[in-house]
Amino acid sequence: MIADEIWAKLLWAGLNLETADLPQTRAGLFYPLALVRAVTLTWLFSGQRSDEIARLRQGCIRWQHDGTAIDGDSQQVLARDAVCLLDVPTHKTGTAFTKPVDPILGQAIDAWQTVRPSQPRFVDRRTAEQVDLLFAFRARRISPAYINNTVIPMLCRKAGVPAADIRGNITSHRARSTIASQLYNAKEPMTLFELQAWLGHRSPQSTQYYAKITPNTLTKAYTEAGYFARNVRTVEVLIDRDAVASGAAASGEPWQYYDLGHGLCSYTFFEQCQHRMACARCDFYTPKASTQSQLLEAKANLQRMLVSIPLTEEERAAVDDGQSALDRLLERLAEVATPAGPTPSELRAEPGRPLPLTVRSPPDPTDRKCC
């Protein structure tokens, strides 16, 4: 591929080509501006090989609107509503075919065909047919090397870019790969098989050599895949700063509480707990409706923060697949000990077991911390 910034400048140079930009001989211009502009835009927009461009026939451009053929200069149809079709001759990998191209290319070719002098017929080098070649002047056909030797150096001079980059010289065939890769990485990209048909390849393996995925497209696809987000969930953690400041946390008192939505868990290593998505009623768990939870959330110096928790495969399945996966997770954890010691089966066997609650004295109205 040619780098995007260089290719954009070459496109600008081709669209703004002027007579002063054309190479001249002692006798003046060798080819008229209309011919050179048509050849240049064909190279920039058609994605064809230089040999195929040199062998294009008279009348290779056709216009359609809603499937009906129209004239290229039709005043009833706006350019953006018309479809421009290019008839590509038989080439090295297949037979002749038709492809859509940008209307700018069709308009440039129509402009050249309007002023093209009458030329003799030429023998097609591949099919040995007598044909009216599009790009012919003074009874001579343009050479397939004309793009490499004349057009590309002319565009590079006008665009102010070097004729070579880190991959080597800018050649006619590199434009084919550049256009294919841009179509493959577009906002609404062409599929590999659509691109195969547009390039005229016999097999998709050939197309893969031309269509390269750009880093931007790869980054977008990776971001949308959500690999990190799929494996990590964020939960809110409440930090009891009173417990930390008073030294109670050092003596074993809970000081951080993971908000599970339906309750709080004070287990310090919550991210390592196997029961965190199927929380058993262990000593570390506090329901949201309990007095202890309400007193905790009423503290003025409570600090809230977010913590990312990595998910196991079973937990990801529970998130993605719903209740059935959650039931399987609960069944697997039935005999696994909770952080408090008992297993979920043992806790279910004690239906009357009360939830652990810490009774606190009501706040002193005279205490300034309560104000």
Side-chain angles (χ1 to χ4, degrees), residues 244-281:
V244 176
S246 64
S251 61
E253 290 292 325
W255 59 278
Q256 61 179 355
Y257 299 84
Y258 292 85
D259 191 343
L260 310 181
H262 50 78
L264 303 174
C265 180
S266 60
Y267 185 45
T268 305
F269 304 103
F270 172 76
E271 68 276 4
Q272 302 175 17
C273 179
Q274 295 176 301
H275 299 269
R276 62 187 178 217
M277 291 190 67
C279 192
R281 298 178 65 184

mmCIF file of all heavy atoms in Angstrom, residues 244-281:
data_model
loop_
_atom_site.group_PDB
_atom_site.id
_atom_site.type_symbol
_atom_site.label_atom_id
_atom_site.label_comp_id
_atom_site.label_asym_id
_atom_site.label_seq_id
_atom_site.Cartn_x
_atom_site.Cartn_y
_atom_site.Cartn_z
ATOM 1 N N VAL A 244 -10.463 2.699 59.464
ATOM 2 C CA VAL A 244 -9.044 2.755 59.119
ATOM 3 C C VAL A 244 -8.304 3.723 60.040
ATOM 4 O O VAL A 244 -7.223 3.420 60.557
ATOM 5 C CB VAL A 244 -8.881 3.179 57.643
ATOM 6 C CG1 VAL A 244 -7.401 3.339 57.300
ATOM 7 C CG2 VAL A 244 -9.526 2.162 56.716
ATOM 8 N N ALA A 245 -8.897 4.904 60.281
ATOM 9 C CA ALA A 245 -8.232 5.923 61.091
ATOM 10 C C ALA A 245 -8.124 5.515 62.553
ATOM 11 O O ALA A 245 -7.138 5.841 63.232
ATOM 12 C CB ALA A 245 -8.981 7.248 60.963
ATOM 13 N N SER A 246 -9.113 4.796 63.052
ATOM 14 C CA SER A 246 -9.094 4.421 64.467
ATOM 15 C C SER A 246 -8.241 3.193 64.749
ATOM 16 O O SER A 246 -8.013 2.845 65.904
ATOM 17 C CB SER A 246 -10.529 4.158 64.936
ATOM 18 O OG SER A 246 -11.078 3.045 64.254
ATOM 19 N N GLY A 247 -7.786 2.518 63.719
ATOM 20 C CA GLY A 247 -6.988 1.315 63.916
ATOM 21 C C GLY A 247 -7.824 0.064 64.060
ATOM 22 O O GLY A 247 -7.264 -1.022 64.255
ATOM 23 N N ALA A 248 -9.155 0.187 63.963
ATOM 24 C CA ALA A 248 -10.010 -0.996 64.093
ATOM 25 C C ALA A 248 -9.776 -1.978 62.959
ATOM 26 O O ALA A 248 -9.914 -3.200 63.137
ATOM 27 C CB ALA A 248 -11.481 -0.566 64.132
ATOM 28 N N ALA A 249 -9.436 -1.459 61.778
ATOM 29 C CA ALA A 249 -9.192 -2.346 60.640
ATOM 30 C C ALA A 249 -8.004 -3.251 60.891
ATOM 31 O O ALA A 249 -7.999 -4.415 60.494
ATOM 32 C CB ALA A 249 -8.953 -1.512 59.377
ATOM 33 N N ALA A 250 -6.976 -2.738 61.600
ATOM 34 C CA ALA A 250 -5.795 -3.550 61.892
ATOM 35 C C ALA A 250 -6.116 -4.690 62.846
ATOM 36 O O ALA A 250 -5.442 -5.730 62.842
ATOM 37 C CB ALA A 250 -4.693 -2.674 62.465
ATOM 38 N N SER A 251 -7.150 -4.518 63.662
ATOM 39 C CA SER A 251 -7.524 -5.560 64.622
ATOM 40 C C SER A 251 -8.525 -6.551 64.058
ATOM 41 O O SER A 251 -9.021 -7.414 64.771
ATOM 42 C CB SER A 251 -8.099 -4.919 65.890
ATOM 43 O OG SER A 251 -9.270 -4.175 65.580
ATOM 44 N N GLY A 252 -8.855 -6.430 62.766
ATOM 45 C CA GLY A 252 -9.738 -7.408 62.138
ATOM 46 C C GLY A 252 -11.134 -6.918 61.839
ATOM 47 O O GLY A 252 -11.923 -7.648 61.232
ATOM 48 N N GLU A 253 -11.468 -5.678 62.222
ATOM 49 C CA GLU A 253 -12.793 -5.145 61.926
ATOM 50 C C GLU A 253 -12.910 -4.866 60.419
ATOM 51 O O GLU A 253 -11.936 -4.437 59.788
ATOM 52 C CB GLU A 253 -13.034 -3.848 62.702
ATOM 53 C CG GLU A 253 -13.204 -4.034 64.194
ATOM 54 C CD GLU A 253 -14.488 -4.755 64.531
ATOM 55 O OE1 GLU A 253 -15.495 -4.538 63.817
ATOM 56 O OE2 GLU A 253 -14.492 -5.552 65.487
ATOM 57 N N PRO A 254 -14.076 -5.117 59.840
ATOM 58 C CA PRO A 254 -14.236 -4.824 58.410
ATOM 59 C C PRO A 254 -14.098 -3.326 58.142
ATOM 60 O O PRO A 254 -14.562 -2.505 58.920
ATOM 61 C CB PRO A 254 -15.650 -5.328 58.101
ATOM 62 C CG PRO A 254 -16.345 -5.375 59.412
ATOM 63 C CD PRO A 254 -15.311 -5.670 60.440
ATOM 64 N N TRP A 255 -13.466 -3.012 57.008
ATOM 65 C CA TRP A 255 -13.258 -1.611 56.664
ATOM 66 C C TRP A 255 -13.583 -1.299 55.197
ATOM 67 O O TRP A 255 -13.671 -0.156 54.807
ATOM 68 C CB TRP A 255 -11.811 -1.199 56.939
ATOM 69 C CG TRP A 255 -10.805 -2.019 56.164
ATOM 70 C CD1 TRP A 255 -10.338 -3.245 56.490
ATOM 71 C CD2 TRP A 255 -10.182 -1.643 54.940
ATOM 72 N NE1 TRP A 255 -9.454 -3.694 55.542
ATOM 73 C CE2 TRP A 255 -9.332 -2.711 54.573
ATOM 74 C CE3 TRP A 255 -10.243 -0.522 54.105
ATOM 75 C CZ2 TRP A 255 -8.561 -2.710 53.418
ATOM 76 C CZ3 TRP A 255 -9.479 -0.503 52.965
ATOM 77 C CH2 TRP A 255 -8.644 -1.582 52.637
ATOM 78 N N GLN A 256 -13.754 -2.353 54.375
ATOM 79 C CA GLN A 256 -14.171 -2.145 52.992
ATOM 80 C C GLN A 256 -15.329 -3.086 52.679
ATOM 81 O O GLN A 256 -15.355 -4.225 53.127
ATOM 82 C CB GLN A 256 -13.010 -2.365 52.019
ATOM 83 C CG GLN A 256 -12.409 -3.767 52.041
ATOM 84 C CD GLN A 256 -11.274 -3.902 51.035
ATOM 85 O OE1 GLN A 256 -11.000 -2.997 50.263
ATOM 86 N NE2 GLN A 256 -10.606 -5.045 51.049
ATOM 87 N N TYR A 257 -16.290 -2.559 51.917
ATOM 88 C CA TYR A 257 -17.509 -3.299 51.626
ATOM 89 C C TYR A 257 -17.760 -3.259 50.116
ATOM 90 O O TYR A 257 -17.873 -2.176 49.525
ATOM 91 C CB TYR A 257 -18.705 -2.690 52.369
ATOM 92 C CG TYR A 257 -18.561 -2.703 53.864
ATOM 93 C CD1 TYR A 257 -17.853 -1.691 54.519
ATOM 94 C CD2 TYR A 257 -19.113 -3.728 54.635
ATOM 95 C CE1 TYR A 257 -17.702 -1.695 55.891
ATOM 96 C CE2 TYR A 257 -18.979 -3.744 56.008
ATOM 97 C CZ TYR A 257 -18.265 -2.727 56.640
ATOM 98 O OH TYR A 257 -18.125 -2.744 58.015
ATOM 99 N N TYR A 258 -17.837 -4.427 49.489
ATOM 100 C CA TYR A 258 -18.119 -4.532 48.064
ATOM 101 C C TYR A 258 -19.630 -4.491 47.842
ATOM 102 O O TYR A 258 -20.372 -5.297 48.421
ATOM 103 C CB TYR A 258 -17.538 -5.824 47.491
ATOM 104 C CG TYR A 258 -16.024 -5.853 47.483
ATOM 105 C CD1 TYR A 258 -15.302 -6.257 48.607
ATOM 106 C CD2 TYR A 258 -15.309 -5.465 46.357
ATOM 107 C CE1 TYR A 258 -13.917 -6.283 48.606
ATOM 108 C CE2 TYR A 258 -13.932 -5.496 46.336
ATOM 109 C CZ TYR A 258 -13.236 -5.897 47.466
ATOM 110 O OH TYR A 258 -11.865 -5.916 47.455
ATOM 111 N N ASP A 259 -20.071 -3.543 47.014
ATOM 112 C CA ASP A 259 -21.500 -3.377 46.760
ATOM 113 C C ASP A 259 -21.934 -4.378 45.695
ATOM 114 O O ASP A 259 -21.584 -4.266 44.520
ATOM 115 C CB ASP A 259 -21.778 -1.946 46.289
ATOM 116 C CG ASP A 259 -23.264 -1.629 46.274
ATOM 117 O OD1 ASP A 259 -24.074 -2.579 46.314
ATOM 118 O OD2 ASP A 259 -23.609 -0.437 46.217
ATOM 119 N N LEU A 260 -22.748 -5.372 46.101
ATOM 120 C CA LEU A 260 -23.217 -6.414 45.187
ATOM 121 C C LEU A 260 -24.573 -6.078 44.592
ATOM 122 O O LEU A 260 -25.128 -6.870 43.842
ATOM 123 C CB LEU A 260 -23.302 -7.751 45.916
ATOM 124 C CG LEU A 260 -22.053 -8.163 46.717
ATOM 125 C CD1 LEU A 260 -22.272 -9.513 47.365
ATOM 126 C CD2 LEU A 260 -20.838 -8.187 45.807
ATOM 127 N N GLY A 261 -25.120 -4.943 44.936
ATOM 128 C CA GLY A 261 -26.437 -4.572 44.467
ATOM 129 C C GLY A 261 -27.511 -4.971 45.450
ATOM 130 O O GLY A 261 -28.287 -4.141 45.932
ATOM 131 N N HIS A 262 -27.543 -6.241 45.800
ATOM 132 C CA HIS A 262 -28.530 -6.736 46.756
ATOM 133 C C HIS A 262 -27.984 -6.718 48.176
ATOM 134 O O HIS A 262 -28.708 -6.989 49.135
ATOM 135 C CB HIS A 262 -28.948 -8.167 46.393
ATOM 136 C CG HIS A 262 -27.767 -9.079 46.164
ATOM 137 N ND1 HIS A 262 -27.037 -9.623 47.200
ATOM 138 C CD2 HIS A 262 -27.189 -9.507 45.017
ATOM 139 C CE1 HIS A 262 -26.065 -10.374 46.695
ATOM 140 N NE2 HIS A 262 -26.136 -10.320 45.367
ATOM 141 N N GLY A 263 -26.700 -6.446 48.316
ATOM 142 C CA GLY A 263 -26.083 -6.443 49.631
ATOM 143 C C GLY A 263 -24.635 -6.027 49.572
ATOM 144 O O GLY A 263 -24.125 -5.655 48.497
ATOM 145 N N LEU A 264 -23.966 -6.087 50.716
ATOM 146 C CA LEU A 264 -22.564 -5.720 50.824
ATOM 147 C C LEU A 264 -21.761 -6.910 51.299
ATOM 148 O O LEU A 264 -22.236 -7.711 52.113
ATOM 149 C CB LEU A 264 -22.378 -4.555 51.801
ATOM 150 C CG LEU A 264 -23.163 -3.271 51.502
ATOM 151 C CD1 LEU A 264 -22.983 -2.278 52.645
ATOM 152 C CD2 LEU A 264 -22.714 -2.652 50.192
ATOM 153 N N CYS A 265 -20.540 -7.044 50.781
ATOM 154 C CA CYS A 265 -19.638 -8.108 51.224
ATOM 155 C C CYS A 265 -18.385 -7.466 51.790
ATOM 156 O O CYS A 265 -17.745 -6.638 51.144
ATOM 157 C CB CYS A 265 -19.286 -9.038 50.067
ATOM 158 S SG CYS A 265 -18.161 -10.377 50.566
ATOM 159 N N SER A 266 -18.024 -7.845 53.030
ATOM 160 C CA SER A 266 -16.857 -7.266 53.688
ATOM 161 C C SER A 266 -15.626 -8.158 53.610
ATOM 162 O O SER A 266 -14.631 -7.888 54.293
ATOM 163 C CB SER A 266 -17.191 -6.971 55.165
ATOM 164 O OG SER A 266 -17.544 -8.178 55.833
ATOM 165 N N TYR A 267 -15.691 -9.193 52.771
ATOM 166 C CA TYR A 267 -14.542 -10.089 52.617
ATOM 167 C C TYR A 267 -13.430 -9.351 51.877
ATOM 168 O O TYR A 267 -13.613 -8.868 50.760
ATOM 169 C CB TYR A 267 -14.965 -11.343 51.854
ATOM 170 C CG TYR A 267 -13.888 -12.392 51.726
ATOM 171 C CD1 TYR A 267 -13.091 -12.754 52.812
ATOM 172 C CD2 TYR A 267 -13.663 -13.037 50.522
ATOM 173 C CE1 TYR A 267 -12.110 -13.719 52.695
ATOM 174 C CE2 TYR A 267 -12.689 -14.010 50.391
ATOM 175 C CZ TYR A 267 -11.909 -14.338 51.481
ATOM 176 O OH TYR A 267 -10.941 -15.308 51.377
ATOM 177 N N THR A 268 -12.244 -9.241 52.498
ATOM 178 C CA THR A 268 -11.156 -8.443 51.950
ATOM 179 C C THR A 268 -10.720 -8.933 50.578
ATOM 180 O O THR A 268 -10.391 -8.141 49.693
ATOM 181 C CB THR A 268 -9.951 -8.442 52.903
ATOM 182 O OG1 THR A 268 -10.383 -7.985 54.190
ATOM 183 C CG2 THR A 268 -8.836 -7.537 52.391
ATOM 184 N N PHE A 269 -10.724 -10.241 50.379
ATOM 185 C CA PHE A 269 -10.266 -10.826 49.112
ATOM 186 C C PHE A 269 -11.465 -11.244 48.263
ATOM 187 O O PHE A 269 -11.524 -12.358 47.746
ATOM 188 C CB PHE A 269 -9.346 -12.017 49.392
ATOM 189 C CG PHE A 269 -8.168 -11.668 50.256
ATOM 190 C CD1 PHE A 269 -8.151 -12.007 51.599
ATOM 191 C CD2 PHE A 269 -7.081 -10.981 49.731
ATOM 192 C CE1 PHE A 269 -7.075 -11.666 52.397
ATOM 193 C CE2 PHE A 269 -6.004 -10.651 50.536
ATOM 194 C CZ PHE A 269 -5.995 -10.984 51.872
ATOM 195 N N PHE A 270 -12.418 -10.319 48.150
ATOM 196 C CA PHE A 270 -13.651 -10.614 47.425
ATOM 197 C C PHE A 270 -13.377 -11.034 45.983
ATOM 198 O O PHE A 270 -14.050 -11.901 45.436
ATOM 199 C CB PHE A 270 -14.563 -9.380 47.454
ATOM 200 C CG PHE A 270 -15.774 -9.492 46.584
ATOM 201 C CD1 PHE A 270 -16.855 -10.274 46.974
ATOM 202 C CD2 PHE A 270 -15.838 -8.839 45.362
ATOM 203 C CE1 PHE A 270 -17.970 -10.386 46.162
ATOM 204 C CE2 PHE A 270 -16.955 -8.954 44.552
ATOM 205 C CZ PHE A 270 -18.021 -9.728 44.962
ATOM 206 N N GLU A 271 -12.372 -10.419 45.326
ATOM 207 C CA GLU A 271 -12.111 -10.744 43.929
ATOM 208 C C GLU A 271 -11.641 -12.176 43.735
ATOM 209 O O GLU A 271 -11.658 -12.706 42.623
ATOM 210 C CB GLU A 271 -11.082 -9.770 43.328
ATOM 211 C CG GLU A 271 -9.676 -9.899 43.876
ATOM 212 C CD GLU A 271 -9.489 -9.111 45.170
ATOM 213 O OE1 GLU A 271 -10.481 -8.536 45.649
ATOM 214 O OE2 GLU A 271 -8.363 -9.064 45.675
ATOM 215 N N GLN A 272 -11.211 -12.847 44.844
ATOM 216 C CA GLN A 272 -10.779 -14.230 44.763
ATOM 217 C C GLN A 272 -11.842 -15.212 45.246
ATOM 218 O O GLN A 272 -11.647 -16.419 45.169
ATOM 219 C CB GLN A 272 -9.502 -14.423 45.587
ATOM 220 C CG GLN A 272 -8.351 -13.526 45.147
ATOM 221 C CD GLN A 272 -7.139 -13.661 46.057
ATOM 222 O OE1 GLN A 272 -7.038 -14.637 46.826
ATOM 223 N NE2 GLN A 272 -6.217 -12.712 45.982
ATOM 224 N N CYS A 273 -12.979 -14.691 45.700
ATOM 225 C CA CYS A 273 -14.020 -15.553 46.256
ATOM 226 C C CYS A 273 -14.777 -16.251 45.135
ATOM 227 O O CYS A 273 -15.224 -15.628 44.172
ATOM 228 C CB CYS A 273 -14.979 -14.725 47.105
ATOM 229 S SG CYS A 273 -16.333 -15.707 47.811
ATOM 230 N N GLN A 274 -14.955 -17.556 45.253
ATOM 231 C CA GLN A 274 -15.653 -18.322 44.232
ATOM 232 C C GLN A 274 -17.162 -18.104 44.267
ATOM 233 O O GLN A 274 -17.867 -18.450 43.333
ATOM 234 C CB GLN A 274 -15.344 -19.810 44.392
ATOM 235 C CG GLN A 274 -13.881 -20.153 44.142
ATOM 236 C CD GLN A 274 -13.610 -21.612 44.401
ATOM 237 O OE1 GLN A 274 -13.825 -22.116 45.501
ATOM 238 N NE2 GLN A 274 -13.160 -22.311 43.380
ATOM 239 N N HIS A 275 -17.683 -17.553 45.357
ATOM 240 C CA HIS A 275 -19.124 -17.407 45.535
ATOM 241 C C HIS A 275 -19.611 -15.986 45.259
ATOM 242 O O HIS A 275 -20.733 -15.654 45.594
ATOM 243 C CB HIS A 275 -19.509 -17.777 46.980
ATOM 244 C CG HIS A 275 -19.179 -19.181 47.338
ATOM 245 N ND1 HIS A 275 -20.064 -20.225 47.166
ATOM 246 C CD2 HIS A 275 -18.056 -19.728 47.852
ATOM 247 C CE1 HIS A 275 -19.502 -21.350 47.574
ATOM 248 N NE2 HIS A 275 -18.277 -21.076 47.997
ATOM 249 N N ARG A 276 -18.782 -15.159 44.641
ATOM 250 C CA ARG A 276 -19.117 -13.745 44.576
ATOM 251 C C ARG A 276 -20.310 -13.453 43.672
ATOM 252 O O ARG A 276 -20.938 -12.419 43.803
ATOM 253 C CB ARG A 276 -17.903 -12.944 44.108
ATOM 254 C CG ARG A 276 -17.412 -13.298 42.729
ATOM 255 C CD ARG A 276 -16.121 -12.592 42.421
ATOM 256 N NE ARG A 276 -15.625 -12.976 41.099
ATOM 257 C CZ ARG A 276 -14.363 -13.146 40.820
ATOM 258 N NH1 ARG A 276 -13.450 -12.990 41.766
ATOM 259 N NH2 ARG A 276 -13.986 -13.472 39.607
ATOM 260 N N MET A 277 -20.638 -14.363 42.727
ATOM 261 C CA MET A 277 -21.827 -14.146 41.909
ATOM 262 C C MET A 277 -23.005 -14.991 42.378
ATOM 263 O O MET A 277 -24.099 -14.909 41.825
ATOM 264 C CB MET A 277 -21.526 -14.440 40.431
ATOM 265 C CG MET A 277 -20.595 -13.431 39.793
ATOM 266 S SD MET A 277 -20.486 -13.619 38.019
ATOM 267 C CE MET A 277 -22.140 -13.142 37.533
ATOM 268 N N ALA A 278 -22.784 -15.843 43.355
ATOM 269 C CA ALA A 278 -23.847 -16.649 43.946
ATOM 270 C C ALA A 278 -23.632 -16.590 45.448
ATOM 271 O O ALA A 278 -23.335 -17.576 46.110
ATOM 272 C CB ALA A 278 -23.772 -18.087 43.433
ATOM 273 N N CYS A 279 -23.738 -15.395 45.993
ATOM 274 C CA CYS A 279 -23.297 -15.106 47.351
ATOM 275 C C CYS A 279 -24.093 -15.903 48.384
ATOM 276 O O CYS A 279 -25.305 -15.732 48.526
ATOM 277 C CB CYS A 279 -23.437 -13.612 47.623
ATOM 278 S SG CYS A 279 -22.607 -13.100 49.127
ATOM 279 N N ALA A 280 -23.427 -16.786 49.109
ATOM 280 C CA ALA A 280 -24.061 -17.523 50.198
ATOM 281 C C ALA A 280 -24.209 -16.609 51.413
ATOM 282 O O ALA A 280 -23.533 -15.589 51.526
ATOM 283 C CB ALA A 280 -23.218 -18.742 50.568
ATOM 284 N N ARG A 281 -25.073 -16.990 52.311
ATOM 285 C CA ARG A 281 -25.323 -16.113 53.461
ATOM 286 C C ARG A 281 -24.278 -16.382 54.536
ATOM 287 O O ARG A 281 -24.553 -16.950 55.593
ATOM 288 C CB ARG A 281 -26.738 -16.358 53.979
ATOM 289 C CG ARG A 281 -27.808 -16.029 52.932
ATOM 290 C CD ARG A 281 -29.192 -16.310 53.431
ATOM 291 N NE ARG A 281 -29.536 -15.438 54.549
ATOM 292 C CZ ARG A 281 -30.669 -15.521 55.232
ATOM 293 N NH1 ARG A 281 -31.558 -16.453 54.914
ATOM 294 N NH2 ARG A 281 -30.914 -14.702 56.225
#
